[in-house]
Amino acid sequence: MPVLVMKFGGTSVANLERIQNAAKRVQTEVEKGFDVIVIVSAMSGKTNELVGWVNETSPLFDAREYDAVVSSGENVTAGLMALTLQEMDVPARSWQGWQVPLKTTSAHAQARIEEIETHNINEKFGEGMKVAVVAGFQGISPEGRITTLGRGGSDTTAVAFAAAFDAVRCDIYTDVDGVYTTDPRITEKARKLDKIAFEEMLELASLGAKVLQTRSVELAMRFGVRLRVLSSFEEQNDNAGTLVCAEEDIMESNVVSGVAASRDEAKVTLVSVADRPGIAAAIFGPLAEAGVNVDMIIQNISEDGRTDMTFSCPTDQVARAEVAMGELKENGTLNFAELVADTGVAKISVVGIGMRSHAGVAAKMFETLSNEGINIKVITTSEIKISVLVERKYLELAVQSLHDAFDLDKAS
């Protein structure tokens, strides 16, 4: 039988009633002739509760025991989903990560998937099981300990299973009914996309769109797994949601597919740094070691052998950057006049595969922002993306004006 992977997020399985609703969707797919692998998250709020208990018990916790505790939320959901399906006369059983097994690295709390063995589940499918309910977010290390995959790990689990079992599709059920041209909370003109290319979705996910976890999109693009994002709370039909697929599967698309916004950004400038070979490595190597996720990087024109180096990072990582750079200055590794942090900025990005073959997108973006009196602080570009930093107070205005300028409320 063809295999379909269905993933249900925390809000979709938040209580017994929602688990029953999700189970009905699974039953519908079984009746269509699929063998189904269901990946479940913990009930909404449960993982945070478990993490809180760990922190309260042991602030400097053993990461191996942390994983043993926080992975239990998914185990509960998997068991309840399997029981619910059995009550509906659908042959189902639950699987924990170690039972599959889903093999990972030993990096507890942020493990990466190395291999998913298919033999055990396929054997049960052959014996008449119709649904394998798998606890997401978890696996087993080479040492035989439970591991977890980090934030958004259930999405990654679902895509990995779809790749391993050569599934026809991977359906990601969440509390939104698809991928939108921008955040509907910012502009009511936001339009749901029927299809979006892997590369576009990857950029949008990395730029602030919360619909899919970045690692899951990377994995889907690598293995060609067709993803469908849809709501657990909307009427079920074959055309629901947004299909994330290869670029060649999209006949025509707008030049720009979406506008993304990231509110919690900071602009950090090292003033008067020596302009010499290796200076960038001397700055950004220690920042990486300190866990600072650097995005945009700008180096000013050198004057008298000195330059300013500017970069962006999440606001909650500014303190780490300040400490790392302070230590370099103190030990004489790096000489700079001062570190200036602006924590009142936001990152606005336009994304679209159509930008590859159309000129003038940057000019239109900059002109639109200029007409609204919005000053651009930093610019960075790639083949299908243009991102700028602006004052945070202009975030909504910038998104709305760009959405209008590129006619994103209209289908291609």
Side-chain angles (χ1 to χ4, degrees):
M1 293 292 182
V3 173
L4 178 69
V5 174
M6 304 173 72
K7 182 263 176 179
F8 293 94
T11 55
S12 301
V13 291
N15 52 45
L16 292 179
E17 182 181 352
R18 291 188 179 181
I19 289 174
Q20 291 165 356
N21 179 60
K24 290 175 184 176
R25 292 177 182 272
V26 176
Q27 183 183 41
T28 298
E29 300 299 344
V30 169
E31 291 170 351
K32 291 179 183 177
F34 289 109
D35 284 339
V36 181
I37 298 175
V38 175
I39 310 296
V40 292
S41 298
M43 292 177 172
S44 183
K46 290 299 180 183
T47 300
N48 288 339
E49 182 180 36
L50 294 168
V51 170
W53 288 348
V54 170
N55 287 325
E56 188 177 337
T57 303
S58 176
L60 300 175
F61 54 75
D62 180 338
R64 295 167 297 185
E65 301 306 336
Y66 169 93
D67 278 356
V69 174
V70 301
S71 64
S72 64
E74 281 73 15
N75 297 343
V76 171
T77 312
L80 291 172
M81 176 67 80
L83 286 170
T84 302
L85 287 164
Q86 289 172 8
E87 287 296 306
M88 298 165 61
D89 294 325
V90 178
R93 64 156 282 188
S94 65
W95 299 76
Q96 296 177 19
W98 64 270
Q99 293 173 304
V100 174
L102 186 153
K103 299 179 179 179
T104 74
T105 61
S106 301
H108 286 274
Q110 52 185 359
R112 301 190 74 84
I113 298 171
E114 301 225 304
E115 181 187 4
I116 296 176
E117 292 191 11
T118 60
H119 172 75
N120 289 335
I121 287 179
N122 276 333
E123 184 176 43
K124 292 299 179 184
F125 278 143
E127 293 173 2
M129 178 186 72
K130 298 304 297 179
V131 181
V133 185
V134 179
F137 176 61
Q138 63 177 249
I140 185 169
S141 72
E143 295 78 23
R145 296 298 301 260
I146 294 171
T147 55
T148 62
L149 307 180
R151 186 175 180 85
S154 292
D155 281 357
T156 304
T157 303
V159 175
F161 268 86
F165 285 84
D166 196 24
V168 295
R169 195 177 65 247
C170 177
D171 288 347
I172 306 289
Y173 285 87
T174 181
D175 53 1
V176 296
D177 61 347
V179 180
Y180 279 73
T181 49
T182 195
D183 189 336
R185 293 170 297 182
I186 296 177
T187 174
E188 61 183 19
K189 293 182 180 179
R191 176 177 57 85
K192 185 174 72 69
L193 298 166
D194 293 327
K195 292 183 179 181
I196 187 170
F198 288 125
E199 290 176 89
E200 293 173 318
M201 190 65 245
L202 187 58
E203 290 284 9
L204 289 172
S206 66
L207 292 167
K210 306 297 185 185
V211 179
L212 285 173
Q213 195 258 1
T214 307
R215 276 170 65 191
S216 68
V217 183
E218 288 175 345
L219 203 60
M221 185 165 65
R222 178 181 171 190
F223 290 101
V225 174
R226 289 162 65 89
L227 290 174
R228 189 171 63 151
V229 181
L230 63 170
S231 171
S232 298
F233 312 111
E234 299 288 332
E235 185 177 341
Q236 190 171 5
N237 65 75
D238 291 337
N239 297 315
T242 299
L243 185 67
V244 186
C245 56
E247 183 178 338
E248 52 267 27
D249 292 336
I250 302 174
M251 294 294 291
E252 286 289 340
S253 63
N254 290 335
V255 176
V256 170
S257 293
V259 180
S262 179
R263 187 177 299 274
D264 299 319
E265 297 288 326
K267 179 170 76 76
V268 181
T269 301
L270 293 174
V271 180
S272 189
V273 179
D275 188 10
R276 58 173 173 78
I279 190 64
I283 294 170
F284 296 107
L287 285 173
E289 292 172 5
V292 179
N293 184 21
V294 173
D295 182 18
M296 303 167 153
I297 300 173
I298 300 291
Q299 182 175 351
N300 290 349
I301 296 173
S302 178
E303 185 175 340
D304 298 327
R306 312 293 290 183
T307 186
D308 296 342
M309 189 77 77
T310 297
F311 61 90
S312 69
C313 68
T315 52
D316 61 1
Q317 295 177 10
V318 170
R320 295 186 205 172
E322 290 174 334
V323 170
M325 294 299 97
E327 290 175 351
L328 293 179
K329 187 174 185 179
E330 189 174 322
N331 64 29
T333 303
L334 186 65
N335 181 22
F336 58 92
E338 62 176 326
L339 184 151
V340 179
D342 180 357
T343 57
V345 298
K347 179 169 60 180
I348 310 296
S349 309
V350 296
V351 175
I353 53 176
M355 291 166 60
R356 290 197 185 112
S357 55
H358 289 78
V361 175
K364 189 171 188 176
M365 180 179 187
F366 302 153
E367 181 182 4
T368 299
L369 295 176
S370 173
N371 291 341
E372 298 292 345
I374 301 173
N375 184 46
I376 297 172
K377 295 175 177 286
V378 178
I379 303 168
T380 186
T381 65
S382 73
E383 192 177 26
I384 65 167
K385 174 200 74 176
I386 303 169
S387 294
V388 298
L389 288 185
V390 302
E391 288 185 62
R392 188 173 298 140
K393 65 182 180 181
Y394 293 123
L395 183 148
E396 286 82 7
L397 177 59
V399 170
Q400 290 167 357
S401 58
L402 290 170
H403 197 273
D404 288 343
F406 288 104
D407 295 323
L408 294 182
D409 57 327
K410 303 171 184 173
S412 59

